[in-house]
Structure formats: structure tokens, C-alpha cells
Amino acid sequence: PPAPVSLGRTVCYVVLAVLFNEEGAVLLVQEAKPECRGRWYLPAGRMEPGEGVVEALRREVKEESGLECEPVTLLALEERGPAWIRFAFLACPTGGTLKTLEEADAESLQARWWSGDPRALPLRSPDILPVLDLAARYCRSPPHPPTLPRQLPCAPLCLRLLLPFTSAAGDLWVLLGTAGTPHLPVVACGTSPPELRAGLCQPVLRLLRDCLPRDPPWDPRPGVLGLLGLQHRPGGPGGSDGVCFNVVLSAPGTRGDVPPAPCDPALRWWRVEDEGLRGRILQRVRATVPIRG
């Protein structure tokens, strides 16, 4: 088992919020940091030790804009490996008043509702533009169910994997671990410096490489990761700040009537025969929160 991760030491979590008012204007804050003073950005900031993801979201929005809010859904998970993970949320305002220039402090200079094109403003970074597009699309037609962190502890940083195999005839199998009660496989991110800089996809690829055959009909090249959900509780075992991401992996290059036999006896394919469960799995495979590496 990997060592527990510690916020601010081995991992960095960042929250970012998109809020719209009733007229469709987006909440922007003017930065006070010396390196980007006067530029505009979405409310964002680092999580603090002992803080939950949603708690950090509420705090950052309040400190930078003066508004109170409640999260609606996670819009995207952005990562540069375990060393830097950003949770981008769609949230709704629930109270408070916009910060004015007279209330400027070290957190921000002011906040405003902006109804124009954000690119017309001097932005701290254009990396918020794709997130704004995701938020606008979600408000028009949600591509996935509302997704928020579940309050469950996790010591390491890891991924719980839903890996489906669909045959040409439409039959569905799911890869399971067989140690103890059958369960979805869990792979952990390492804590060495090279592993912390690697993408979250690396431990999944390691599982595919080590446990599944490389010959046809299986192609172990990377597929597309999508987020189904996540669990986190601050101050876990030993004061750890781990997160478990429930992810689905699209598997390109799968062919044949049955999935390839795993090389590892601790894994097996389970055929989903219940039509209701099969339908729910296939629906969620197509409706996930994007992961951007």
C-alpha cells in the first residue's frame, strides 16, 4: 500500500468556481497578488489542511467575491499528476454582497458580474475559458448527473476503475478484483517525485500493462478517462488527505465475443446479466465529468 498523502506536502488541491446570476452574467474577481494584480479570473485558490473540497470552495468564493454559494456539480477535474489537482465547480450564489474596491484586501481587489465576452478583459490566464464553456453547456443541457464529493476517508491518492468490455453482440462485462468481496479494481498513485509529476492515468496504464494480455483482441493503449465520482474527507487516517476517484476507462481496440482473460488471478471479468444494471452502467459510461491532464 502506498504512503498516505498530505495536503501541502505531497499533494496540492485547488478549487475553482463558476457562478452565474439570473441574467446569465458570470462572477469574476480582480486579482490582488503582485504577479497578476489587476487581472481578472474566476474565484479560485488552494485547499488548506483539514479542509474538505466543498468547504474550500465556499471559503474561496466568500473571501474573493464576498458572496456565499453552494456547489451544483463538478464540471471538470484538471490534473498535472498527484502534485497538482484542480476541482472546477459550477455553483450558485446564495447570499452575501459583491466585494467593492473599498473592501480590497490580499485575497482580491473587487468582484463583479460580467455579461460580456471574458476575453475582452485582461485575464490572469485563458485557462478558465474552457471551464466557462463547460459551465454554459451544463446549464443548457447537463451532460452528466450532478457530481459532488462524498464524505468518505481515503489515505492515499487512488483511482477506482470501471473498465467495461462490450462484445459485438452487445454483451457487457466489467473487470473485478476477486480478493475478498468482489470489487472494482483500485490502483494507487505513487508518492515518489517522478510519480507525483506523472498524470493520474499512469497507474491505470500500469494495471492494464501488468494484468491484461497485450495480444489481440486487447489493445492496452491509453483510453479516455472519465470521472464518475470521488470520495474525500479531511483529516483521514494519520491526518492524511487522500482522494479516491471513481473513473471509467474507455477501452479502444477491443474485439471479439468475450473479453481477454486477465494475467492476474486476482482479477476476473463479470458478465452483467441484469438488464437494468447493464443499462445504468452503459448510461454512466457515456455521462462522465471530463478529466484534463
Side-chain angles (χ1 to χ4, degrees), residues 66-139:
L67 300 184
E68 299 168 354
C69 74
E70 285 298 322
V72 175
T73 185
L74 191 66
L75 288 170
L77 182 71
E78 301 170 294
E79 55 97 1
R80 301 171 190 166
W84 189 90
I85 297 174
R86 186 163 75 173
F87 304 90
F89 284 92
L90 175 65
C92 62
T94 58
T97 55
L98 281 179
K99 179 186 284 190
T100 65
L101 280 172
E102 289 73 23
E103 300 168 305
D105 55 22
E107 299 296 334
S108 67
L109 299 179
Q110 63 175 321
R112 69 167 63 168
W113 294 108
W114 181 257
S115 58
D117 188 340
R119 290 171 292 187
L121 293 172
L123 296 178
R124 169 183 160 185
S125 171
D127 67 345
I128 63 172
L129 298 177
V131 180
L132 288 172
D133 288 340
L134 286 175
R137 290 204 301 267
Y138 193 95
C139 291

Side-chain angles (χ1 to χ4, degrees), residues 49-62:
E51 192 173 44
V53 182
V54 171
E55 183 183 359
L57 175 78
R58 296 191 187 107
R59 176 184 56 78
E60 286 292 344
V61 171
K62 179 67 174 178

Side-chain angles (χ1 to χ4, degrees), residues 13-78:
Y13 303 148
V14 178
V15 293
L16 179 142
V18 180
L19 285 80
F20 296 112
N21 64 10
E22 293 181 354
E23 288 74 38
V26 65
L27 178 67
L28 295 177
V29 297
Q30 194 172 31
E31 295 284 0
K33 302 180 185 67
E35 63 271 19
C36 54
R37 187 177 180 86
R39 295 186 175 272
W40 294 87
Y41 206 65
L42 293 171
R46 295 187 179 189
M47 285 175 55
E48 298 176 354
E51 192 173 44
V53 182
V54 171
E55 183 183 359
L57 175 78
R58 296 191 187 107
R59 176 184 56 78
E60 286 292 344
V61 171
K62 179 67 174 178
E63 289 177 351
E64 296 194 353
S65 74
L67 300 184
E68 299 168 354
C69 74
E70 285 298 322
V72 175
T73 185
L74 191 66
L75 288 170
L77 182 71
E78 301 170 294

Side-chain angles (χ1 to χ4, degrees), residues 50 52 145 223-224:
V224 178

Side-chain angles (χ1 to χ4, degrees), residues 213-219 253 255 260:
R214 302 187 185 186
D215 298 327
W218 184 262
D219 184 351
R255 301 183 299 276

Side-chain angles (χ1 to χ4, degrees), residues 174-208:
V174 172
L175 190 68
L176 294 182
T178 58
T181 303
H183 58 276
L184 295 177
V186 177
V187 291
C189 299
T191 55
S192 68
E195 290 172 311
L196 287 173
R197 291 190 295 268
L200 291 181
C201 195
Q202 288 301 313
V204 176
L205 299 180
R206 187 168 60 244
L207 171 73
L208 299 184

